[in-house]
Amino acid sequence: MYTLAKPTTSFLEAISNPSELKRLTTQQIQSLAGEIREEIVANLSKTGGHLASNLGIVEITLALHKVFNSPEDQILWDVGHQCYVHKMLTGRRNQFDTLRQYKGLSGFINPLESPHDAFVAGHSSTSISLAVGMAIARDHLGKENKVIAVIGDGGLTGGMALEAINHLGHIQRNVLIVLNDNEMSISQNVGGFSQYMKRIKETFFYKDIKSKLDLIEDKLDSAKITPAVWEMILAVKKQAKERFDTPGIVFEKLGVNYSGPVDGHDVSAVIAAFESVKDKTTPQLLHIISQKGKGWGPAEKDAIKYHGVSAFSLEPPLSEKVEPAFAPKPKAKTYSDVFSQALIELAALEPNMVAITPATAEGSGLVKFGHKWPERFFDVAICEQHAVTMAAGMAKAGLKPVVSIYSTFLQRAIDQVIHDVAILKLPVIFGIDRGGLVEDGETHQGVFDIAIMRAIPNLVVCAPKDARELRNILYTALKESSAPVAVRFPRDKAVDAEGIEGFETINFRCWEIVEPGETVEPGNKSSPATNEFKEVIVLAYGAMVNTAVQALPLLKQKGVRPTIVNARSTKPLDTEMLAKFLANPDAVLITLEEGVLTGGFGSAVLEFASQQKVIHLGKKQADVYNVAIPDHFVEHGAREILLDLVGLSSSKVAEFILHVVG
């Protein structure tokens, strides 16, 4: 790995409030920037987190707090994962080693942590809309504070940000947009707008022309010229401005004044730029150029790899290459790995299959697919709505699109799933990654997709129990389904991924919950010792099958041997199987799912049980109990801790079953 000097904190130790930056000189602030970078790398080596983006925004954050007055001036951080420097400067540095840990600091902006966090932030492209809303409220209430939206060029590709700029230009409120341009989101930015921003950085000719025109205008102020001549001079200036490739002309045409570009790592230049727009009363966009990963060699060389990191060791580099004494253990495959490899192989079987992702190619593993099938891979940037509707257009025209999308980001495109995909029953496959709990907290928990998707007509909604089943569900959906199919899987190591080579077909359809051979673990109807317990049937959905299996030893110690069923589909249900289970009044049915309790898989089973009661009036049926995520937002922390917290660890599942039957 790479060496890192022990963090020095001569200036950082003295900063407990952002107002203290105002007494520091520019040179001292530049030294402080170096200390902050050391602190970020040292801490993230222990906690993990978003590394490259925070290294790139150090000087911008320092300049913001030097010029403006937080929390009176409201700073809105788009996405929010670039907030680590802001947290250090606003009284949370002593908690920084708890970042992303359970009951520690959030990895994102959270007003519950500090009044300096103006709004919760976890998804992109929201900051300008929030700024417009807060500016309107400020003006209505007669206040005079500044509202500042800090957004990256990746976030600016999102339609919501462009909608907000359009409205801001119309209503002309006092809002400052700070565009942190590093040509990156999670992956490399794509799209026409990204290319336009790149051209801005390469176009300094206009700045020279504009400065000369301004100089001429200043000199003419004292000259005695007729109004007609003055009007002609202004017209020439306007024409000159419009004919050159003006940096920011798109923003100016929309009514937002543009300034920049500014070197984002030159503290004095950034401070001067903020001072120049601080007292403006019209909408301003300040374009700042930064480097993602700035100041730490590995992240500068590979900003994508170091966008988000797990805890790592800062070991000194070896002076010479040393062969390991034994072969290193291969890295465990995740469900994302299995998903992307399956798509690569399926593309060879189905020439009309294409893959789409909204700027999550790295996280979902689709980079490999793009290398293998570049003409069939589409990264549409941070545009979830466009990704889904584009897939609908592809499907209507004869292609077979697979949309790879995180569960938490799919929430942004539910209208498109309903309106553009489901109504026409188009065969779009949704590969829903990060389904379930993740470390990043409330804004990123993928717990709503089961309930949302199963409420939509014409959709098949399923989840695999292991790696092989994920592959085969994708195969079945691609080859046999004429309807849209949602396949969800967790951010976790894939169960039974070892030894999967090539593609093996298992003939089942993903809309059948279980075939007779899909009982994972047969159970007894009662305890062989005391005959006290009812028959227990656990209907486990997706990743919860493995959890149920892991709970077996604890249950068997108490004489309870449940039947575990792999309920791979929540819509449609295997109603024939469920009817048989419910018909046994001595049985207990327990559903397990890593999604919200309200409206999820367990609710689907209860709804069917209610229908069966109507059909068989007066006939007693099995009891049904649901284990799922309670009706509250789940905080950040390690996945294992969160699963236990909501009652979905193997030990908590075993406790629940024993309580129900005991």
Side-chain angles (χ1 to χ4, degrees), residues 108-120:
F108 294 85
I109 288 291
N110 190 337
L112 298 178
E113 272 187 11
S114 170
H116 293 279
D117 293 0
F119 205 89
V120 68

Side-chain angles (χ1 to χ4, degrees), residues 338 466-473 495-496 499-500 504 506:
V338 175
D466 57 28
R468 180 164 297 177
E469 190 160 286
L470 171 57
R471 293 170 62 89
N472 287 298
I473 286 178
V495 176
D496 294 335
I500 292 180
E504 300 175 41
I506 296 177

Side-chain angles (χ1 to χ4, degrees), residues 36-50:
I36 288 173
R37 285 193 169 91
E38 291 177 343
E39 186 97 350
I40 289 172
V41 176
N43 272 281
L44 265 60
S45 70
K46 302 169 187 174
T47 65
H50 289 92

Side-chain angles (χ1 to χ4, degrees), residues 49 81 220 229 237 264 291 306 314 335 373 386 406 408 433 474 515 517 590 636 644:
H81 64 226
L220 287 174
V229 173
K237 180 180 178 182
Q291 180 184 6
Y306 289 98
L314 293 170
Y335 280 101
W373 305 102
H386 168 57
Y406 294 178
T408 183
D433 203 338
L474 289 171
E515 296 284 358
I590 298 172
H636 61 274
D644 191 71

Side-chain angles (χ1 to χ4, degrees), residues 554-566:
L554 295 170
L555 294 169
K556 289 177 180 178
Q557 288 177 9
K558 301 294 184 180
V560 178
R561 191 184 182 98
T563 296
I564 298 175
V565 176
N566 170 25

Side-chain angles (χ1 to χ4, degrees), residues 585-635:
D586 294 322
V588 173
L589 269 61
I590 298 172
T591 67
L592 297 181
E593 63 188 301
E594 195 177 344
V596 291
L597 179 66
T598 307
F601 168 65
S603 292
V605 173
L606 284 172
E607 289 162 14
F608 180 75
S610 176
Q611 295 167 8
Q612 289 297 102
K613 271 190 175 182
V614 173
I615 295 171
H616 305 288
L617 284 174
K619 187 175 180 181
K620 195 174 185 304
Q621 63 180 21
D623 294 326
V624 180
Y625 298 90
N626 301 146
V627 182
I629 295 172
D631 187 25
H632 62 75
F633 290 103
V634 181
E635 58 194 291

